Amino acid sequence: MSNSQTTQALHQFTDDNFATEVLASDVPVLVDFWADWCAPCRMLTPVIENLAADHVGQAVVGKLHVDENPQTASQHGINSIPTVLVFKGGEVVERIVGVQPQKRYEQALGV
């Protein structure tokens, strides 16, 4: 998949769109809580981009910048980053802290 297609597949979640894009989704949603200054977050970015590109239509995959969207990060108890939450039916079904192999995130998504 080209970079532009990967970019289109990867969602950018915010305090403003979180309820509609994540909580109201009818497919599983993976949210990577991250920040620019976080080195492990930068290491995880290619994995998240691959997940987004590989599972279009099966799941929604995206990132939420914790410094720019503190309300959502706080509501979900994000104390360390990277933290990945998987939502199904508007509920958190999996919480993964730290960098893991892509297969671990795929297992959490059920894809």
Side-chain angles (χ1 to χ4, degrees):
M1 186 171 273
S2 73
N3 265 354
S4 65
Q5 288 173 305
T6 299
T7 302
Q8 290 173 347
L10 186 66
H11 292 254
Q12 299 300 321
F13 302 123
T14 65
D15 286 345
D16 292 335
N17 72 12
F18 197 82
T20 55
E21 300 254 337
V22 177
L23 302 180
S25 177
D26 55 357
V27 296
V29 183
L30 182 145
V31 182
D32 173 23
F33 290 83
W34 74 288
D36 298 321
W37 47 263
C38 168
C41 296
R42 291 193 304 271
M43 289 172 42
L44 183 57
T45 294
V47 173
I48 299 300
E49 289 173 347
N50 286 340
L51 285 167
D54 291 350
H55 301 291
V56 172
Q58 298 171 298
V60 173
V61 176
K63 299 169 76 67
L64 184 132
H65 194 292
V66 296
D67 292 338
E68 296 172 3
N69 302 282
Q71 179 182 344
T72 302
S74 175
Q75 286 173 341
H76 292 284
I78 304 303
N79 297 319
S80 59
I81 54 174
T83 293
V84 169
L85 298 183
V86 175
F87 291 81
K88 292 182 181 173
E91 299 292 324
V92 176
V93 296
E94 193 96 32
R95 175 182 293 259
I96 303 168
V97 179
V99 178
Q100 299 290 319
Q102 183 167 334
K103 277 279 182 227
R104 175 69 183 93
Y105 300 107
E106 289 172 338
Q107 286 175 332
L109 274 171
V111 294

mmCIF file of all heavy atoms in Angstrom, residues 66-94:
data_model
loop_
_atom_site.group_PDB
_atom_site.id
_atom_site.type_symbol
_atom_site.label_atom_id
_atom_site.label_comp_id
_atom_site.label_asym_id
_atom_site.label_seq_id
_atom_site.Cartn_x
_atom_site.Cartn_y
_atom_site.Cartn_z
ATOM 1 N N VAL A 66 -1.993 12.712 23.040
ATOM 2 C CA VAL A 66 -2.460 12.982 24.407
ATOM 3 C C VAL A 66 -2.268 14.433 24.833
ATOM 4 O O VAL A 66 -3.071 14.951 25.615
ATOM 5 C CB VAL A 66 -1.794 12.036 25.441
ATOM 6 C CG1 VAL A 66 -2.181 10.594 25.176
ATOM 7 C CG2 VAL A 66 -0.288 12.190 25.471
ATOM 8 N N ASP A 67 -1.239 15.101 24.335
ATOM 9 C CA ASP A 67 -1.023 16.497 24.712
ATOM 10 C C ASP A 67 -2.061 17.413 24.086
ATOM 11 O O ASP A 67 -2.446 18.424 24.675
ATOM 12 C CB ASP A 67 0.384 16.963 24.312
ATOM 13 C CG ASP A 67 1.470 16.281 25.130
ATOM 14 O OD1 ASP A 67 1.163 15.799 26.248
ATOM 15 O OD2 ASP A 67 2.618 16.216 24.650
ATOM 16 N N GLU A 68 -2.519 17.073 22.899
ATOM 17 C CA GLU A 68 -3.501 17.897 22.188
ATOM 18 C C GLU A 68 -4.938 17.527 22.559
ATOM 19 O O GLU A 68 -5.860 18.289 22.276
ATOM 20 C CB GLU A 68 -3.305 17.758 20.676
ATOM 21 C CG GLU A 68 -1.955 18.297 20.215
ATOM 22 C CD GLU A 68 -1.664 17.991 18.755
ATOM 23 O OE1 GLU A 68 -2.532 17.402 18.067
ATOM 24 O OE2 GLU A 68 -0.555 18.337 18.304
ATOM 25 N N ASN A 69 -5.132 16.363 23.166
ATOM 26 C CA ASN A 69 -6.469 15.864 23.496
ATOM 27 C C ASN A 69 -6.500 15.311 24.916
ATOM 28 O O ASN A 69 -6.780 14.126 25.129
ATOM 29 C CB ASN A 69 -6.876 14.788 22.483
ATOM 30 C CG ASN A 69 -6.870 15.313 21.071
ATOM 31 O OD1 ASN A 69 -7.785 16.009 20.656
ATOM 32 N ND2 ASN A 69 -5.812 15.017 20.333
ATOM 33 N N PRO A 70 -6.222 16.160 25.901
ATOM 34 C CA PRO A 70 -6.095 15.679 27.279
ATOM 35 C C PRO A 70 -7.396 15.147 27.878
ATOM 36 O O PRO A 70 -7.364 14.282 28.754
ATOM 37 C CB PRO A 70 -5.597 16.908 28.030
ATOM 38 C CG PRO A 70 -6.065 18.076 27.217
ATOM 39 C CD PRO A 70 -6.006 17.603 25.794
ATOM 40 N N GLN A 71 -8.521 15.646 27.424
ATOM 41 C CA GLN A 71 -9.809 15.217 27.990
ATOM 42 C C GLN A 71 -10.035 13.726 27.762
ATOM 43 O O GLN A 71 -10.338 12.985 28.698
ATOM 44 C CB GLN A 71 -10.942 16.035 27.363
ATOM 45 C CG GLN A 71 -12.319 15.648 27.856
ATOM 46 C CD GLN A 71 -13.413 16.461 27.169
ATOM 47 O OE1 GLN A 71 -13.163 17.487 26.563
ATOM 48 N NE2 GLN A 71 -14.630 15.965 27.269
ATOM 49 N N THR A 72 -9.869 13.261 26.546
ATOM 50 C CA THR A 72 -10.084 11.845 26.233
ATOM 51 C C THR A 72 -9.048 10.974 26.921
ATOM 52 O O THR A 72 -9.382 9.916 27.470
ATOM 53 C CB THR A 72 -10.061 11.621 24.705
ATOM 54 O OG1 THR A 72 -11.075 12.446 24.121
ATOM 55 C CG2 THR A 72 -10.318 10.172 24.358
ATOM 56 N N ALA A 73 -7.788 11.414 26.910
ATOM 57 C CA ALA A 73 -6.732 10.643 27.574
ATOM 58 C C ALA A 73 -7.049 10.489 29.062
ATOM 59 O O ALA A 73 -6.927 9.402 29.629
ATOM 60 C CB ALA A 73 -5.385 11.317 27.371
ATOM 61 N N SER A 74 -7.489 11.539 29.685
ATOM 62 C CA SER A 74 -7.825 11.510 31.109
ATOM 63 C C SER A 74 -9.031 10.600 31.378
ATOM 64 O O SER A 74 -9.022 9.812 32.322
ATOM 65 C CB SER A 74 -8.108 12.923 31.598
ATOM 66 O OG SER A 74 -8.547 12.899 32.930
ATOM 67 N N GLN A 75 -10.055 10.701 30.544
ATOM 68 C CA GLN A 75 -11.257 9.877 30.714
ATOM 69 C C GLN A 75 -10.952 8.388 30.662
ATOM 70 O O GLN A 75 -11.666 7.586 31.253
ATOM 71 C CB GLN A 75 -12.292 10.206 29.634
ATOM 72 C CG GLN A 75 -12.996 11.514 29.827
ATOM 73 C CD GLN A 75 -13.886 11.867 28.639
ATOM 74 O OE1 GLN A 75 -13.732 11.341 27.543
ATOM 75 N NE2 GLN A 75 -14.807 12.790 28.865
ATOM 76 N N HIS A 76 -9.886 8.030 29.939
ATOM 77 C CA HIS A 76 -9.553 6.611 29.781
ATOM 78 C C HIS A 76 -8.348 6.191 30.606
ATOM 79 O O HIS A 76 -7.795 5.111 30.396
ATOM 80 C CB HIS A 76 -9.379 6.291 28.295
ATOM 81 C CG HIS A 76 -10.672 6.396 27.559
ATOM 82 N ND1 HIS A 76 -11.652 5.430 27.632
ATOM 83 C CD2 HIS A 76 -11.182 7.374 26.797
ATOM 84 C CE1 HIS A 76 -12.695 5.815 26.937
ATOM 85 N NE2 HIS A 76 -12.440 6.992 26.414
ATOM 86 N N GLY A 77 -7.973 7.039 31.565
ATOM 87 C CA GLY A 77 -6.944 6.682 32.528
ATOM 88 C C GLY A 77 -5.583 6.417 31.919
ATOM 89 O O GLY A 77 -4.867 5.517 32.359
ATOM 90 N N ILE A 78 -5.225 7.196 30.914
ATOM 91 C CA ILE A 78 -3.932 7.019 30.258
ATOM 92 C C ILE A 78 -2.866 7.671 31.133
ATOM 93 O O ILE A 78 -2.797 8.889 31.236
ATOM 94 C CB ILE A 78 -3.925 7.624 28.836
ATOM 95 C CG1 ILE A 78 -5.056 7.035 27.988
ATOM 96 C CG2 ILE A 78 -2.565 7.423 28.171
ATOM 97 C CD1 ILE A 78 -5.058 5.528 27.855
ATOM 98 N N ASN A 79 -2.049 6.841 31.780
ATOM 99 C CA ASN A 79 -1.000 7.324 32.678
ATOM 100 C C ASN A 79 0.387 7.185 32.089
ATOM 101 O O ASN A 79 1.319 7.845 32.537
ATOM 102 C CB ASN A 79 -1.053 6.557 34.002
ATOM 103 C CG ASN A 79 -2.349 6.792 34.732
ATOM 104 O OD1 ASN A 79 -2.846 7.909 34.775
ATOM 105 N ND2 ASN A 79 -2.916 5.743 35.289
ATOM 106 N N SER A 80 0.553 6.273 31.143
ATOM 107 C CA SER A 80 1.839 6.118 30.473
ATOM 108 C C SER A 80 1.566 5.843 28.999
ATOM 109 O O SER A 80 0.522 5.289 28.645
ATOM 110 C CB SER A 80 2.648 4.990 31.101
ATOM 111 O OG SER A 80 1.954 3.773 31.022
ATOM 112 N N ILE A 81 2.512 6.245 28.168
ATOM 113 C CA ILE A 81 2.357 6.050 26.730
ATOM 114 C C ILE A 81 3.611 5.394 26.182
ATOM 115 O O ILE A 81 4.683 5.547 26.787
ATOM 116 C CB ILE A 81 2.047 7.377 25.997
ATOM 117 C CG1 ILE A 81 3.094 8.440 26.322
ATOM 118 C CG2 ILE A 81 0.648 7.864 26.313
ATOM 119 C CD1 ILE A 81 2.946 9.723 25.542
ATOM 120 N N PRO A 82 3.494 4.636 25.114
ATOM 121 C CA PRO A 82 2.254 4.403 24.384
ATOM 122 C C PRO A 82 1.323 3.433 25.116
ATOM 123 O O PRO A 82 1.773 2.462 25.710
ATOM 124 C CB PRO A 82 2.724 3.770 23.066
ATOM 125 C CG PRO A 82 4.006 3.081 23.423
ATOM 126 C CD PRO A 82 4.633 3.927 24.502
ATOM 127 N N THR A 83 0.048 3.768 25.084
ATOM 128 C CA THR A 83 -0.999 2.858 25.533
ATOM 129 C C THR A 83 -1.955 2.686 24.365
ATOM 130 O O THR A 83 -2.358 3.674 23.746
ATOM 131 C CB THR A 83 -1.754 3.406 26.755
ATOM 132 O OG1 THR A 83 -0.874 3.440 27.878
ATOM 133 C CG2 THR A 83 -2.959 2.541 27.104
ATOM 134 N N VAL A 84 -2.297 1.446 24.071
ATOM 135 C CA VAL A 84 -3.246 1.145 23.009
ATOM 136 C C VAL A 84 -4.494 0.564 23.658
ATOM 137 O O VAL A 84 -4.406 -0.361 24.465
ATOM 138 C CB VAL A 84 -2.638 0.149 22.000
ATOM 139 C CG1 VAL A 84 -3.705 -0.369 21.039
ATOM 140 C CG2 VAL A 84 -1.486 0.793 21.241
ATOM 141 N N LEU A 85 -5.633 1.152 23.323
ATOM 142 C CA LEU A 85 -6.916 0.617 23.780
ATOM 143 C C LEU A 85 -7.674 0.074 22.573
ATOM 144 O O LEU A 85 -7.677 0.697 21.509
ATOM 145 C CB LEU A 85 -7.759 1.706 24.455
ATOM 146 C CG LEU A 85 -7.196 2.364 25.708
ATOM 147 C CD1 LEU A 85 -8.208 3.358 26.273
ATOM 148 C CD2 LEU A 85 -6.817 1.339 26.758
ATOM 149 N N VAL A 86 -8.316 -1.060 22.762
ATOM 150 C CA VAL A 86 -9.178 -1.624 21.731
ATOM 151 C C VAL A 86 -10.608 -1.533 22.238
ATOM 152 O O VAL A 86 -10.910 -1.968 23.352
ATOM 153 C CB VAL A 86 -8.802 -3.083 21.400
ATOM 154 C CG1 VAL A 86 -9.791 -3.682 20.410
ATOM 155 C CG2 VAL A 86 -7.381 -3.144 20.863
ATOM 156 N N PHE A 87 -11.466 -0.939 21.412
ATOM 157 C CA PHE A 87 -12.875 -0.747 21.742
ATOM 158 C C PHE A 87 -13.729 -1.644 20.864
ATOM 159 O O PHE A 87 -13.493 -1.770 19.666
ATOM 160 C CB PHE A 87 -13.293 0.705 21.473
ATOM 161 C CG PHE A 87 -12.680 1.708 22.399
ATOM 162 C CD1 PHE A 87 -11.388 2.168 22.185
ATOM 163 C CD2 PHE A 87 -13.398 2.199 23.483
ATOM 164 C CE1 PHE A 87 -10.814 3.104 23.030
ATOM 165 C CE2 PHE A 87 -12.824 3.139 24.341
ATOM 166 C CZ PHE A 87 -11.534 3.585 24.110
ATOM 167 N N LYS A 88 -14.729 -2.264 21.479
ATOM 168 C CA LYS A 88 -15.758 -3.001 20.741
ATOM 169 C C LYS A 88 -17.082 -2.613 21.358
ATOM 170 O O LYS A 88 -17.244 -2.679 22.573
ATOM 171 C CB LYS A 88 -15.533 -4.508 20.820
ATOM 172 C CG LYS A 88 -14.274 -4.952 20.077
ATOM 173 C CD LYS A 88 -14.081 -6.445 20.106
ATOM 174 C CE LYS A 88 -12.794 -6.804 19.367
ATOM 175 N NZ LYS A 88 -12.458 -8.214 19.498
ATOM 176 N N GLY A 89 -17.994 -2.152 20.513
ATOM 177 C CA GLY A 89 -19.294 -1.727 21.013
ATOM 178 C C GLY A 89 -19.194 -0.575 21.998
ATOM 179 O O GLY A 89 -20.000 -0.471 22.918
ATOM 180 N N GLY A 90 -18.215 0.288 21.824
ATOM 181 C CA GLY A 90 -18.059 1.458 22.684
ATOM 182 C C GLY A 90 -17.377 1.183 24.011
ATOM 183 O O GLY A 90 -17.209 2.081 24.826
ATOM 184 N N GLU A 91 -16.985 -0.074 24.246
ATOM 185 C CA GLU A 91 -16.349 -0.450 25.515
ATOM 186 C C GLU A 91 -14.901 -0.868 25.280
ATOM 187 O O GLU A 91 -14.588 -1.496 24.268
ATOM 188 C CB GLU A 91 -17.101 -1.624 26.150
ATOM 189 C CG GLU A 91 -18.546 -1.342 26.481
ATOM 190 C CD GLU A 91 -18.714 -0.324 27.596
ATOM 191 O OE1 GLU A 91 -17.896 -0.334 28.530
ATOM 192 O OE2 GLU A 91 -19.658 0.480 27.515
ATOM 193 N N VAL A 92 -14.048 -0.562 26.252
ATOM 194 C CA VAL A 92 -12.656 -1.006 26.185
ATOM 195 C C VAL A 92 -12.614 -2.510 26.461
ATOM 196 O O VAL A 92 -13.096 -2.969 27.494
ATOM 197 C CB VAL A 92 -11.773 -0.261 27.218
ATOM 198 C CG1 VAL A 92 -10.347 -0.811 27.205
ATOM 199 C CG2 VAL A 92 -11.770 1.237 26.948
ATOM 200 N N VAL A 93 -12.060 -3.265 25.524
ATOM 201 C CA VAL A 93 -11.953 -4.714 25.705
ATOM 202 C C VAL A 93 -10.502 -5.143 25.884
ATOM 203 O O VAL A 93 -10.241 -6.280 26.269
ATOM 204 C CB VAL A 93 -12.593 -5.491 24.531
ATOM 205 C CG1 VAL A 93 -14.095 -5.228 24.482
ATOM 206 C CG2 VAL A 93 -11.935 -5.165 23.210
ATOM 207 N N GLU A 94 -9.567 -4.250 25.612
ATOM 208 C CA GLU A 94 -8.155 -4.588 25.745
ATOM 209 C C GLU A 94 -7.356 -3.314 25.977
ATOM 210 O O GLU A 94 -7.634 -2.277 25.380
ATOM 211 C CB GLU A 94 -7.672 -5.274 24.473
ATOM 212 C CG GLU A 94 -6.334 -5.932 24.590
ATOM 213 C CD GLU A 94 -6.410 -7.415 24.906
ATOM 214 O OE1 GLU A 94 -7.373 -8.087 24.472
ATOM 215 O OE2 GLU A 94 -5.500 -7.902 25.587
#
